[in-house]
Amino acid sequence: MITEVDGSPVYVWRACSPWLAVSSGVLGGGIGLRNWVVNATVANTYARLDPDRHLDEIATSLGLTGDGIGLLTAVDVREVVHREDGGVRVAVTTGIGAHPTWAAGPAAVPEPVGTINAICHLPVRLTEAALVNAVATVAEAKAQALFESGVPGTGTPTDSVVVLCPPDGPAEPFGGPRSVVGGALARAVHSAIRARL
């Protein structure tokens, strides 16, 4: 759902019960059980040095409780693109900014950046290793979408990923793009990013 906090849009996903998650988010990153995810729009001039605290403030204002994940983007999250493939659901906000980044490019120089945030829900449990593999799958699908769209880079310096799956049930050992769930994840992320580019 999309709501607002202090006049800025926020994409909010609330779990009925905790999901197992892996994330690179500044709030709630790592691997563990998570109850909610927020992707909050901030100004291009955002300069807070405590984004985790800021996201915690946003979550508190929304009445979110328990452990969650928070992401920030200068993209208006009302432009989120949803895709589904094989039971995998993704919600992606795509911003490239003026300077996309090559992963193995020159040393970093401060410059205006964009952000691609991908929140991904899988229908089956993955092992922790497969969850990490799923993050790599998201990165590969993103890089493919950017390449096919003629964007000179593999992403931006501030991209974030969230992969959620059920915490119970038989665990799939693979999350790569040739696995059933990883393939569906790759196609859904690729399609969502291509739609915004």
Side-chain angles (χ1 to χ4, degrees):
M1 110 178 152
I2 305 286
T3 187
E4 284 194 2
V5 174
D6 297 330
S8 295
V10 180
Y11 177 89
V12 183
W13 177 84
R14 300 173 196 241
C16 296
S17 58
W19 284 55
L20 180 60
V22 61
S23 175
S24 61
V26 293
L27 175 68
I31 297 178
L33 295 176
R34 301 292 184 265
N35 298 286
W36 48 265
V37 180
V38 297
N39 188 15
T41 298
V42 294
N44 281 328
T45 56
Y46 186 82
R48 282 187 65 161
L49 299 178
D50 60 346
D52 54 339
R53 180 171 292 181
H54 183 200
L55 283 159
D56 191 50
E57 292 166 2
I58 290 170
T60 298
S61 73
L62 293 170
L64 299 172
T65 59
D67 294 324
I69 297 168
L71 314 174
L72 296 173
T73 179
V75 173
D76 186 330
V77 296
R78 290 172 291 202
E79 298 176 5
V80 64
V81 176
H82 295 94
R83 290 291 185 268
E84 185 169 348
D85 190 303
V88 172
R89 295 177 294 127
V90 304
V92 181
T93 52
T94 301
I96 296 299
H99 304 281
T101 300
W102 291 107
V109 176
E111 57 189 20
V113 297
T115 300
I116 300 173
N117 286 341
I119 302 169
C120 312
H121 308 93
L122 308 182
V124 295
R125 181 180 167 211
L126 270 62
T127 64
E128 288 191 359
L131 274 172
V132 173
N133 197 184
V135 171
T137 296
V138 171
E140 291 175 22
K142 175 182 66 175
Q144 180 181 342
L146 295 174
F147 174 79
E148 291 174 353
S149 299
V151 175
T154 52
T156 83
T158 55
D159 296 349
S160 290
V161 176
V162 177
V163 179
L164 305 158
C165 72
D168 302 311
E172 294 288 326
F174 306 113
R178 296 289 66 86
S179 68
V180 173
V181 70
L185 174 63
R187 290 187 297 272
V189 169
H190 175 267
S191 175
I193 293 173
R194 284 296 302 266
R196 286 303 301 158
L197 293 175

Coordinates of all heavy atoms in Angstrom, one line a residue, residues 146-192:
L146 N 19.3 -3.2 -17.5 CA 20.0 -2.0 -17.8 C 20.8 -2.1 -19.2 O 20.7 -1.2 -20.0 CB 20.9 -1.6 -16.7 CG 20.3 -1.3 -15.4 CD1 21.3 -1.1 -14.3 CD2 19.4 -0.1 -15.5
F147 N 21.5 -3.2 -19.3 CA 22.2 -3.5 -20.6 C 21.3 -3.4 -21.8 O 21.6 -2.8 -22.8 CB 23.0 -4.8 -20.5 CG 23.6 -5.2 -21.8 CD1 24.9 -4.6 -22.1 CD2 23.1 -6.1 -22.6 CE1 25.5 -5.0 -23.3 CE2 23.7 -6.5 -23.8 CZ 24.9 -5.9 -24.2
E148 N 20.2 -4.2 -21.7 CA 19.3 -4.2 -22.8 C 18.6 -2.9 -23.1 O 18.2 -2.6 -24.3 CB 18.2 -5.3 -22.6 CG 18.7 -6.7 -22.6 CD 17.7 -7.7 -22.1 OE1 16.6 -7.3 -21.7 OE2 18.0 -8.9 -22.2
S149 N 18.6 -2.0 -22.1 CA 18.0 -0.7 -22.3 C 19.0 0.4 -22.7 O 18.7 1.6 -22.8 CB 17.2 -0.2 -21.0 OG 16.2 -1.1 -20.7
G150 N 20.3 0.0 -22.9 CA 21.3 0.9 -23.3 C 21.8 1.8 -22.2 O 22.4 2.8 -22.4
V151 N 21.6 1.4 -20.9 CA 22.1 2.2 -19.8 C 23.5 1.9 -19.6 O 23.8 0.7 -19.4 CB 21.2 2.0 -18.5 CG1 21.8 2.7 -17.3 CG2 19.8 2.4 -18.7
P152 N 24.4 2.8 -19.5 CA 25.9 2.5 -19.4 C 26.2 2.3 -17.9 O 26.9 3.1 -17.3 CB 26.5 3.8 -19.9 CG 25.6 4.9 -19.6 CD 24.2 4.3 -19.8
G153 N 25.8 1.2 -17.3 CA 26.1 0.9 -16.0 C 25.4 -0.4 -15.5 O 24.5 -0.9 -16.2
T154 N 25.8 -0.9 -14.4 CA 25.1 -2.1 -13.9 C 24.2 -1.8 -12.7 O 23.5 -2.7 -12.2 CB 26.2 -3.1 -13.3 OG1 27.1 -2.4 -12.4 CG2 27.0 -3.7 -14.5
G155 N 24.1 -0.5 -12.4 CA 23.2 -0.1 -11.3 C 23.5 1.2 -10.8 O 24.1 2.0 -11.5
T156 N 23.2 1.5 -9.5 CA 23.6 2.8 -8.9 C 24.2 2.5 -7.6 O 24.1 1.4 -7.1 CB 22.4 3.7 -8.7 OG1 21.7 3.4 -7.5 CG2 21.4 3.7 -9.9
P157 N 24.9 3.4 -7.0 CA 25.6 3.1 -5.7 C 24.7 2.9 -4.5 O 25.1 2.4 -3.5 CB 26.4 4.4 -5.5 CG 26.6 5.1 -6.8 CD 25.3 4.7 -7.5
T158 N 23.4 3.2 -4.7 CA 22.5 3.1 -3.5 C 21.4 2.1 -3.7 O 20.4 2.1 -3.0 CB 21.9 4.5 -3.3 OG1 21.2 5.0 -4.5 CG2 22.9 5.5 -2.8
D159 N 21.5 1.2 -4.7 CA 20.5 0.2 -4.9 C 20.3 -0.7 -3.7 O 21.3 -1.1 -3.0 CB 20.8 -0.7 -6.1 CG 20.8 0.1 -7.4 OD1 20.4 1.2 -7.4 OD2 21.3 -0.5 -8.4
S160 N 19.1 -1.2 -3.4 CA 18.8 -2.1 -2.3 C 17.9 -3.2 -2.8 O 17.1 -3.1 -3.7 CB 18.2 -1.4 -1.1 OG 19.1 -0.5 -0.5
V161 N 18.1 -4.4 -2.1 CA 17.3 -5.6 -2.4 C 16.7 -6.1 -1.1 O 17.3 -6.1 -0.1 CB 18.2 -6.6 -3.0 CG1 17.4 -7.9 -3.3 CG2 18.8 -6.2 -4.3
V162 N 15.4 -6.6 -1.2 CA 14.8 -7.3 -0.2 C 14.2 -8.6 -0.8 O 13.5 -8.5 -1.8 CB 13.6 -6.5 0.5 CG1 12.9 -7.4 1.5 CG2 14.1 -5.2 1.0
V163 N 14.6 -9.8 -0.2 CA 14.0 -11.0 -0.7 C 13.3 -11.6 0.6 O 14.0 -11.9 1.6 CB 15.0 -12.0 -1.3 CG1 14.3 -13.3 -1.7 CG2 15.7 -11.3 -2.5
L164 N 12.0 -11.9 0.4 CA 11.2 -12.5 1.5 C 10.7 -13.9 1.1 O 10.3 -14.1 0.0 CB 10.0 -11.6 1.8 CG 10.3 -10.1 2.1 CD1 9.1 -9.3 1.9 CD2 10.8 -10.0 3.6
C165 N 10.7 -14.8 2.1 CA 10.1 -16.1 1.8 C 9.5 -16.6 3.1 O 9.8 -16.1 4.2 CB 11.2 -17.1 1.3 SG 12.4 -17.6 2.5
P166 N 8.6 -17.7 3.0 CA 8.0 -18.2 4.2 C 9.1 -18.8 5.1 O 10.1 -19.3 4.6 CB 7.1 -19.4 3.7 CG 6.9 -19.0 2.3 CD 8.1 -18.3 1.8
P167 N 9.0 -18.7 6.4 CA 10.0 -19.2 7.3 C 9.9 -20.7 7.6 O 10.8 -21.3 8.2 CB 9.7 -18.4 8.6 CG 8.3 -18.2 8.6 CD 7.9 -18.0 7.2
D168 N 8.8 -21.3 7.1 CA 8.6 -22.7 7.4 C 8.4 -23.5 6.1 O 8.2 -22.9 5.1 CB 7.3 -22.9 8.3 CG 7.5 -22.1 9.6 OD1 8.5 -22.3 10.3 OD2 6.5 -21.4 10.0
G169 N 8.4 -24.8 6.3 CA 8.2 -25.7 5.1 C 9.6 -26.2 4.6 O 10.6 -25.7 5.0
P170 N 9.5 -27.1 3.6 CA 10.7 -27.6 3.0 C 11.5 -26.5 2.3 O 10.9 -25.6 1.7 CB 10.2 -28.6 1.9 CG 8.8 -29.0 2.4 CD 8.3 -27.8 3.1
A171 N 12.8 -26.5 2.5 CA 13.6 -25.4 2.0 C 14.2 -25.7 0.6 O 14.9 -26.7 0.5 CB 14.7 -25.0 3.0
E172 N 14.0 -24.8 -0.3 CA 14.6 -25.0 -1.6 C 16.1 -24.6 -1.5 O 16.5 -23.6 -0.9 CB 14.0 -24.0 -2.6 CG 12.6 -24.3 -3.0 CD 12.4 -25.6 -3.8 OE1 13.3 -25.8 -4.7 OE2 11.4 -26.3 -3.7
P173 N 17.0 -25.4 -2.0 CA 18.4 -25.2 -1.8 C 19.0 -24.2 -2.8 O 20.2 -23.9 -2.7 CB 19.0 -26.6 -2.0 CG 18.1 -27.3 -3.0 CD 16.7 -26.7 -2.7
F174 N 18.3 -23.8 -3.9 CA 18.9 -23.0 -4.9 C 18.0 -21.7 -5.2 O 16.8 -21.8 -5.2 CB 19.0 -23.8 -6.2 CG 19.7 -25.1 -6.1 CD1 19.0 -26.3 -6.2 CD2 21.1 -25.1 -5.8 CE1 19.7 -27.5 -6.1 CE2 21.7 -26.3 -5.6 CZ 21.1 -27.5 -5.8
G175 N 18.7 -20.6 -5.4 CA 18.0 -19.4 -5.7 C 18.6 -18.7 -7.0 O 18.2 -17.6 -7.3
G176 N 19.4 -19.4 -7.7 CA 20.0 -18.9 -8.9 C 19.0 -18.8 -10.1 O 17.9 -19.4 -10.0
P177 N 19.4 -18.2 -11.2 CA 18.4 -17.9 -12.3 C 18.0 -19.2 -13.0 O 17.0 -19.1 -13.8 CB 19.2 -17.0 -13.2 CG 20.6 -17.1 -12.9 CD 20.7 -17.5 -11.4
R178 N 18.7 -20.3 -12.9 CA 18.3 -21.5 -13.5 C 17.4 -22.4 -12.6 O 16.9 -23.4 -13.1 CB 19.5 -22.3 -14.1 CG 20.3 -21.6 -15.2 CD 19.6 -21.5 -16.5 NE 18.4 -20.7 -16.6 CZ 18.3 -19.4 -16.8 NH1 19.4 -18.7 -16.9 NH2 17.2 -18.7 -16.8
S179 N 17.3 -22.1 -11.4 CA 16.3 -22.8 -10.5 C 14.9 -22.3 -10.8 O 14.7 -21.2 -11.4 CB 16.7 -22.5 -9.0 OG 16.4 -21.2 -8.7
V180 N 13.9 -23.1 -10.4 CA 12.5 -22.7 -10.7 C 12.2 -21.4 -10.1 O 11.7 -20.4 -10.8 CB 11.6 -23.8 -10.2 CG1 10.1 -23.3 -10.4 CG2 11.8 -25.1 -11.0
V181 N 12.4 -21.2 -8.8 CA 12.0 -20.0 -8.1 C 13.0 -18.8 -8.5 O 12.5 -17.7 -8.7 CB 11.9 -20.1 -6.6 CG1 13.3 -20.3 -6.0 CG2 11.2 -19.0 -5.9
G182 N 14.3 -19.1 -8.7 CA 15.2 -18.1 -9.1 C 14.9 -17.6 -10.5 O 15.0 -16.4 -10.8
G183 N 14.5 -18.5 -11.4 CA 14.2 -18.1 -12.8 C 13.0 -17.1 -12.8 O 13.0 -16.1 -13.5
A184 N 12.0 -17.5 -12.0 CA 10.8 -16.6 -11.9 C 11.1 -15.3 -11.3 O 10.7 -14.2 -11.8 CB 9.7 -17.3 -11.1
L185 N 12.0 -15.3 -10.3 CA 12.4 -14.0 -9.7 C 13.2 -13.2 -10.7 O 12.9 -12.0 -10.8 CB 13.4 -14.4 -8.5 CG 14.1 -13.2 -7.8 CD1 13.0 -12.3 -7.1 CD2 15.0 -13.7 -6.7
A186 N 14.1 -13.7 -11.4 CA 14.8 -13.0 -12.4 C 13.9 -12.4 -13.5 O 14.1 -11.2 -13.8 CB 15.9 -13.9 -13.1
R187 N 13.0 -13.1 -14.0 CA 12.1 -12.6 -15.0 C 11.2 -11.5 -14.5 O 11.0 -10.5 -15.2 CB 11.2 -13.7 -15.6 CG 11.9 -14.8 -16.4 CD 11.0 -15.7 -17.1 NE 10.3 -16.6 -16.1 CZ 10.7 -17.7 -15.6 NH1 11.9 -18.2 -16.0 NH2 10.0 -18.4 -14.8
A188 N 10.7 -11.6 -13.2 CA 9.9 -10.6 -12.7 C 10.6 -9.3 -12.4 O 10.1 -8.2 -12.8 CB 9.2 -11.1 -11.4
V189 N 11.8 -9.4 -11.9 CA 12.6 -8.2 -11.6 C 13.0 -7.5 -13.0 O 12.9 -6.3 -13.1 CB 13.9 -8.5 -10.8 CG1 14.9 -7.4 -10.8 CG2 13.5 -8.9 -9.4
H190 N 13.5 -8.3 -13.9 CA 13.9 -7.8 -15.2 C 12.7 -7.1 -15.9 O 12.9 -6.0 -16.4 CB 14.3 -9.0 -16.1 CG 14.6 -8.7 -17.5 ND1 13.7 -8.8 -18.5 CD2 15.8 -8.2 -18.1 CE1 14.3 -8.4 -19.7 NE2 15.5 -8.1 -19.4
S191 N 11.5 -7.7 -15.8 CA 10.4 -7.1 -16.5 C 10.0 -5.7 -15.8 O 9.7 -4.7 -16.5 CB 9.2 -8.0 -16.4 OG 8.0 -7.4 -16.9
A192 N 10.1 -5.7 -14.4 CA 9.7 -4.5 -13.7 C 10.7 -3.3 -14.0 O 10.3 -2.2 -14.2 CB 9.7 -4.8 -12.2

